[in-house]
Amino acid sequence: MALEWLALLRRAHHEFSTRIETITDWSAPTPDTEWTVDALVRHVVVEQQWVPPLLGGLTIDEAEERIRPLREDLVAEWHLYSGLATAAWDVAPASGPVHLSYAVVTVDHYLREQVCDVTVHAWDLARATGADETLDDGLVAAVWDVFDEQRDMLGASGLFAAPVAVPDDAPLQDRLVALTGRDPRPAEGDNR
């Protein structure tokens, strides 16, 4: 597995960790209009719970038996499951099979998917909590490369809202956020 993507995973987890520490209103809305901050964090933490059993070769049904309900302290749960997931990534073979809900993919494919997911949700969390929205440039560039290649599929997948129009010369992070159906422009009255 490319060491670069393992390093990017750590950066994505760091970006999420710095935002999770700033949460004061767990019921605040997020850019993903169906989720509050609480629901967003739960989603990301549960995704980390799945990583070790899926990287261990279990099927979705087998892995599901290992997923436990989250405890109340979601910050502690994030740190616990982020650490367990990262440790699992460190020993996973790049070409090993991973059983996901939509297909069997390689470990490398799943790693890139997870880096993208955590990165976008780190931005969501920053926007929802009023934290610094600026993400690591290398991380943004890597996620952009993945999503830009999948541009047509992203819109058809139903996982994201329709892309938001931004100028072609907008900063790369703004173009990335817009491609995933999020509006990177500050909300009205926001002085950021």
Side-chain angles (χ1 to χ4, degrees), residues 2-188:
L3 292 176
E4 171 192 0
W5 280 94
L6 287 173
L8 290 168
L9 174 83
R10 284 183 168 75
R11 281 192 229 162
H13 280 232
H14 173 74
E15 295 286 3
F16 196 83
S17 291
T18 60
R19 274 68 180 194
I20 201 171
E21 299 291 344
T22 68
I23 298 171
T24 57
D25 181 1
W26 289 86
S27 63
T30 70
D32 188 328
T33 57
E34 296 178 9
W35 286 344
T36 62
V37 166
D38 181 88
L40 171 71
V41 170
R42 286 180 184 280
H43 162 75
V44 177
V45 173
V46 169
E47 287 295 313
Q48 303 320 301
Q49 284 184 301
W50 284 90
V51 170
L54 292 177
L55 290 180
L58 299 184
T59 66
I60 291 288
D61 289 340
E62 292 166 339
E64 188 171 29
E65 294 175 15
R66 298 188 181 196
I67 306 302
R68 301 289 172 244
L70 297 178
R71 293 176 295 204
E72 290 295 314
D73 185 347
L74 291 179
V75 175
E77 294 289 87
W78 161 253
H79 290 299
L80 170 65
Y81 291 110
S82 170
L84 292 172
T86 301
W89 286 116
D90 284 341
V91 298
S95 61
V98 179
H99 299 266
L100 300 180
S101 60
Y102 61 88
V104 176
V105 300
T106 64
V107 168
D108 187 60
H109 176 96
Y110 183 41
L111 174 60
R112 291 168 193 254
E113 184 178 291
Q114 281 295 303
V115 168
C116 293
D117 189 60
V118 174
T119 300
V120 170
H121 290 318
W123 185 89
D124 288 338
L125 194 53
R127 173 58 60 102
T129 60
D132 181 8
E133 295 175 8
T134 307
L135 300 171
D136 176 87
D137 289 340
L139 187 58
V140 168
V143 174
W144 170 261
D145 286 346
V146 170
F147 280 170
D148 192 38
E149 288 179 8
Q150 300 173 355
R151 181 179 293 270
D152 294 335
M153 187 190 73
L154 290 177
S157 72
L159 295 174
F160 298 107
V164 173
V166 294
D168 291 341
D169 63 349
L172 186 59
Q173 179 175 304
D174 287 359
R175 288 183 281 146
L176 170 64
V177 168
L179 182 60
T180 65
R182 292 148 169 87
D183 191 340
R185 296 171 297 190
E188 215 171 288

